């Protein structure tokens, strides 16, 4: 099948889903444009800062995208392109977008607090503590995986010790990108510069630093980059959002939009053929995989991602200017990510053959596929330049997800030690120390970077399952809240049950495989880490599911739960 046909079908169906199902959800849940949002009600100039819808969409989309919608579909291509495509479209409209939109909306109605607070208010305080532990462990995996991905993308040397010009270019542009982002934030938020004019200047500056990066590179080793990344996220995750997070994410979204636009042009101009088989069977192309549950875990952010609920309820909800923006940012942002996932699927299908998936890391396959398409449109060789720019864009989003995850982990770390009604300002003693923003950040950065040493392959299998399980738990939390306030929550039942079954099954498979490997003599850090994490995550999830079922049982009898029961 042609790439054009696949892309057109995807875009048409996703747009229909947004216009129909997205609007229906907004009506059922009671989106109110006249209601004051937490960004205005609790404005503090640091975390609670209202942002214009385009700026916030840029932050939200950049944060949730990362490398997930690229890595996931490409890795899942071993099952054939049809299952992956169907899961991206169906999962995106009825699972992922519902999850993202509802998580953001629930947080807005809980004063911009996290999904943990939603659970505490509607299920109970013990469930909140368990969820926070679960979410924090997941965020550690996010920090570890994306720190490793970014450091690998910036690594200035090949395995043979030669300079890697592409990576050096991406590193230089990324460093300069931070500088122009800070300048953009200063002029827009402190000097009230017009957004349109500032945007045009910002985009021009991006073009300028790209030109610099193509001619001047930074060559540092991966370990040095891990150290520098640690320092960067330590500072970026504590700094007020207007200094770096909002402007950088807004400007970086143009890189992604530009990359997607170039990809769409390349697809329409070359009409690449999908060389993968429609389906390779339950065992995948190699015969030793499991379509269920691995397909639904591996595609990850391309269809549904629990990390999105932490972004929506952690940073986005604190910056939402008006409730009417929740649909385009929450529901629409996820569908844009689905479109990127489809482009990734077309890229790997273009480079693959019917009996062999294209070799290389997923981001390399993605960049090579799009660069090959675009290169055919130009009379001179543009492959290397386009390849470098795509790697840059992917690295920018991974870096965005990285420091957003660190900021979210900092919130979670502090929230674990606070009881209802407590804040860092009104507690004393050990609680005052533990809830200090720097303490949570330092602990998170240290543990995350430690896990990153050795490569993302060591933690990525766990990240996928933990991330999807987190999505199931977030759906459970929002369903409990809607049930308590008398709103329709039936659209959550099937997605919630399906994701919980698929992810717990995947974690149990991982636990069994790692246990067999260890008892067989393969005692190494990767196997031990995956064994322990999978066991802990399953136990936490099962306890939370039991408490959730008890909550739904009470609601079915007409009883209120959580704080609503008082």
């Amino acid at each position: 099948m042609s790439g054009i046909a696949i892309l057109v079908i995807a875009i048409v169906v996703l747009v229909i889903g947004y216009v129909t199902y997205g609007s229906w959800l907004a009506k059922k849940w009671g989106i109110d444009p006249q209601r004051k949002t937490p960004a205005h009600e609790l404005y503090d100039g640091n975390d609670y800062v209202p942002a214009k819808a385009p700026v916030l969409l840029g932050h939200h989309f950049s944060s949730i995208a990362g490398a997930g919608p690229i890595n996931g579909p490409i890795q899942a291509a071993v099952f054939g392109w049809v299952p992956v495509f169907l899961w991206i479209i169906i999962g995106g409209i009825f699972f992922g977008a519902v999850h993202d939109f509802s998580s953001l909306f629930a947080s807005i109605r809980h004063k911009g607090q996290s999904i943990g607070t939603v659970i505490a208010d509607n299920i109970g305080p013990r469930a909140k503590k368990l969820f926070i532990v679960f979410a924090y462990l997941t965020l550690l995996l996010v920090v570890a995986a994306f720190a490793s991905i970014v450091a690998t993308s910036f690594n200035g040397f090949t395995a043979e010790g030669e300079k890697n010009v592409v990576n050096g270019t991406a590193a230089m542009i990324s460093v300069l990108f931070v500088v122009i982002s800070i300048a953009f934030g200063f002029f827009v938020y402190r000097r009230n510069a017009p957004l349109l004019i500032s945007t045009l200047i910002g985009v021009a500056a991006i073009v300028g630093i790209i030109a610099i990066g193509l001619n001047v590179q930074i060559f540092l080793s991966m370990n040095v980059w891990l150290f520098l990344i640690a320092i960067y996220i330590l500072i970026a995750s504590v700094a007020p959002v207007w200094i770096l997070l909002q402007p950088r994410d807004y400007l970086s979204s143009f890189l992604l939009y530009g990359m997607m636009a170039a990809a769409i042009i390349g697809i329409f101009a070359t009409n690449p053929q999908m060389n993968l088989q429609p389906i390779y069977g339950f065992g995948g192309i190699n015969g030793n995989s499991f379509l269920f549950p691995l397909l639904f875990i591996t595609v990850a952010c391309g269809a549904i991602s629990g990390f999105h609920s932490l972004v929506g309820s952690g940073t986005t909800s604190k910056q939402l200017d008006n409730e009417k923006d929740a649909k385009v940012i929450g529901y629409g942002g996820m569908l844009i990510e689905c479109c990127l996932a489809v482009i990734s699927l077309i890229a790997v299908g273009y480079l693959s053959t019917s009996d062999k998936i294209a070799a290389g890391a997923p981001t390399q396959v993605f960049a090579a596929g799009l660069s090959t398409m675009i290169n055919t449109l130009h009379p001179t060789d543009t492959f290397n330049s386009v390849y470098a720019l795509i790697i840059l864009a992917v690295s920018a989003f991974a870096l965005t997800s990285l420091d957003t995850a660190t900021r979210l982990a900092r919130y979670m770390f502090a929230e674990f030690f606070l009881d209802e009604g407590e804040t860092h300002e009104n507690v004393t003693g050990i609680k005052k120390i533990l809830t200090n923003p720097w303490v949570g950040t330092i602990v998170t950065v240290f543990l995350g970077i430690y896990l990153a040493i050795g490569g993302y392959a060591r933690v990525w299998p766990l990240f996928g399952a933990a991330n999807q399980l987190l999505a199931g738990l977030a759906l459970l939390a929002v369903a409990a809240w809607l049930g308590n306030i008398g709103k329709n929550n039936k659209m959550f039942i099937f997605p919630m049950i399906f994701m919980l079954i698929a992810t717990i099954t995947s974690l149990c498979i991982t636990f069994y495989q790692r246990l067999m490997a260890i008892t067989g003599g393969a005692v190494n850090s990767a196997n031990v880490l995956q064994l322990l994490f999978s066991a802990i995550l399953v136990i936490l999830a099962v306890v939370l599911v039991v408490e959730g079922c008890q909550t739904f049982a009470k609601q079915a009898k007409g009883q209120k739960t959580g704080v609503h029961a008082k």
Side-chain angles (χ1 to χ4, degrees), residues 486-498:
K487 297 288 185 179
N488 185 350
N489 65 359
K490 292 182 175 59
M491 68 286 293
F492 291 92
I493 295 175
F494 181 75
M496 176 183 67
I497 293 175
F498 182 84

Side-chain angles (χ1 to χ4, degrees), residues 155-466:
N155 184 8
F157 303 96
T158 65
E160 293 76 26
E162 299 177 354
K163 289 184 177 180
N164 189 320
V165 176
V166 171
N167 287 6
T169 295
M172 171 58 81
I173 298 174
S174 296
V175 171
L176 295 176
F177 196 88
V178 171
V179 176
I180 66 171
S181 297
I182 293 174
F184 182 91
F186 174 77
F187 284 106
V188 170
Y189 291 102
R190 285 297 176 266
R191 291 293 180 267
N192 296 316
L195 180 61
L196 178 59
I197 296 175
S198 299
T199 300
L200 293 175
I201 295 174
V203 172
I206 292 174
V207 174
I209 65 173
I210 288 174
I212 294 173
L214 290 173
N215 293 279
V216 182
Q217 295 84 33
I218 297 177
F219 297 104
L220 298 173
S221 69
M222 180 171 175
N223 287 337
V224 172
W225 276 117
L226 278 174
F227 176 75
L228 294 176
I229 288 169
I231 295 175
Y232 169 77
I233 60 176
L234 182 67
I235 298 172
S237 60
V238 177
V241 294
W242 65 266
I243 291 179
L244 182 59
L245 185 141
Q246 282 185 354
R248 187 216 48 219
D249 293 358
Y250 173 63
L251 290 177
S252 66
S253 67
F254 287 97
L255 281 174
L256 184 52
Y257 300 147
M259 181 182 72
M260 292 180 66
I264 292 172
I265 291 172
I267 291 171
F268 274 91
T270 61
N271 193 20
Q273 296 302 301
M274 181 62 71
N275 296 322
L276 296 169
Q277 293 291 333
I279 187 169
Y280 289 104
F282 186 83
I285 193 172
N286 53 18
N288 58 9
S289 300
F290 303 96
L291 191 146
F292 181 88
L294 292 184
L295 170 68
F296 308 99
I297 305 303
T298 307
V299 173
C301 308
I304 181 172
S305 168
F307 176 60
H308 296 188
S309 69
L310 301 184
V311 174
S313 68
T315 56
T316 306
S317 63
K318 295 177 175 64
Q319 302 171 63
L320 195 78
D321 183 54
N322 191 297
E323 276 197 7
K324 65 180 175 59
D325 299 333
K327 176 190 168 187
V328 66
I329 293 170
Y331 200 91
M334 179 62 221
L335 297 189
I336 297 174
E337 188 161 2
C338 290
C339 186
L340 177 58
V342 171
I343 291 172
S344 302
L345 179 62
I346 294 172
V348 68
Y350 176 52
L351 293 183
S352 301
T353 60
S354 62
D355 61 349
K356 188 177 181 180
I357 304 296
T363 51
Q364 294 172 332
V365 173
F366 177 77
L370 298 187
S371 300
T372 302
M373 294 179 209
I374 295 171
N375 190 58
T376 62
L377 306 178
H378 201 275
T380 59
D381 185 8
T382 60
F383 180 90
N384 288 337
S385 297
V386 175
Y387 185 93
L389 294 178
I390 292 174
I391 290 293
L392 162 69
V394 175
S395 299
F397 306 124
L399 193 60
T400 297
S401 297
L402 178 59
D403 64 58
T404 297
T406 309
R407 182 180 288 265
L408 295 173
R410 184 248 293 180
Y411 293 156
M412 290 290 178
F413 188 90
E415 193 173 344
F416 180 83
F417 299 101
L418 296 173
D419 296 321
E420 185 179 353
E422 291 183 339
T423 65
H424 171 66
E425 287 70 26
N426 63 22
V427 295
T428 59
I430 188 65
K431 280 191 175 184
K432 188 75 169 181
I433 296 173
L434 292 173
T435 57
N436 184 286
W438 285 101
V439 173
T441 305
I442 290 171
V443 172
T444 300
V445 171
F446 174 79
L447 294 175
I449 298 299
Y450 175 77
L451 290 174
I453 297 172
Y456 85 95
R458 189 172 66 154
V459 294
W460 191 262
L462 281 173
F463 163 72

Side-chain angles (χ1 to χ4, degrees), residues 102-103 105-111 113-129 131 415 420 473-487 489 544-556 559-566:
S102 65
S103 299
F105 182 53
S107 178
I108 295 167
R109 291 298 177 88
H110 286 79
K111 299 185 180 299
Q113 296 299 303
S114 73
I115 292 297
T117 298
V118 178
I119 288 178
D121 287 354
N122 297 280
I123 299 179
R126 185 177 68 173
K128 172 190 175 181
K129 296 288 187 182
F131 177 83
E415 193 173 344
E420 185 179 353
L473 296 176
L475 289 169
L476 183 152
V478 179
W481 166 61
L482 289 173
N484 267 328
I485 63 174
K487 297 288 185 179
N489 65 359
L544 280 167
V545 169
V546 169
E547 295 219 4
C549 290
Q550 292 173 343
T551 297
F552 293 134
K554 291 178 181 178
Q555 291 178 352
Q559 302 174 14
K560 298 291 185 179
T561 58
V563 296
H564 301 272
K566 298 178 182 179

